[in-house]
C-alpha cells in the first residue's frame, strides 16, 4: 500500500492509541527479520525503546496461543530487553 516507510502512519496510529505489531511474513521471501524491521521502525520514526517493547508486547497479546504461553513470551522479552533492543 505504501511505497516508502515514511508514508506509514505509525506516529498517528500510536498517538491514537492503536496497537501496532511488526511482522516479517515469510522471512525467506521478504529477506528480513523482526529485529531489522523494529530497528528500521525505531530509527525512522524516532521511537523510544519502551515503545518498541510495547510493540513486541502487542504482538504477544495478539497471538493465537494460551495465556500461559503469552506470559512465558512476555517474560522472555523482559529478560532479554537489551538483546531485543540491540541495533547490531
Amino acid at each position: 500500500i505504501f511505497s516508502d516507510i515514511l508514508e506509514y502512519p505509525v506516529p498517528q496510529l500510536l498517538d491514537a492509541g492503536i496497537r501496532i505489531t511488526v511482522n516479517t511474513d515469510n522471512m525467506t521471501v521478504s529477506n528480513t527479520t523482526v529485529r531489522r524491521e523494529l530497528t528500521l521502525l525505531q530509527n525512522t520514526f524516532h521511537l523510544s525503546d519502551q515503545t518498541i517493547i510495547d510493540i513486541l508486547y502487542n504482538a504477544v497479546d495478539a497471538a493465537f496461543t494460551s495465556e500461559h504461553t503469552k506470559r512465558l513470551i512476555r517474560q522472555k522479552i523482559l529478560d532479554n530487553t537489551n538483546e531485543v533492543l540491540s541495533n547490531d
Side-chain angles (χ1 to χ4, degrees):
I1 296 174
F2 301 104
S3 61
D4 187 290
I5 190 168
L6 291 171
E7 295 176 11
Y8 282 72
V10 172
Q12 295 88 342
L13 293 170
L14 292 172
D15 288 346
I18 297 172
R19 295 161 147 222
I20 65 170
T21 63
V22 173
N23 307 282
T24 60
D25 299 320
N26 182 336
M27 292 185 338
T28 61
V29 173
S30 58
N31 195 30
T32 192
T33 64
V34 172
R35 178 177 289 168
R36 187 177 299 140
E37 295 301 305
L38 288 169
T39 299
L40 177 62
L41 198 67
Q42 186 171 33
N43 291 340
T44 301
F45 296 106
H46 310 288
L47 303 178
S48 69
D49 289 349
Q50 185 58 55
T51 298
I52 295 300
I53 295 296
D54 292 343
I55 290 170
L56 287 169
Y57 286 146
N58 291 344
V60 174
D61 293 341
F64 294 105
T65 191
S66 69
E67 285 304 316
H68 172 74
T69 299
K70 289 179 182 185
R71 278 192 301 276
L72 293 174
I73 297 170
R74 284 186 200 102
Q75 187 60 52
K76 189 170 185 174
I77 291 169
L78 184 61
D79 292 345
N80 295 288
T81 299
N82 289 334
E83 181 181 337
V84 167
L85 296 174
S86 172
N87 289 326
D88 298 336

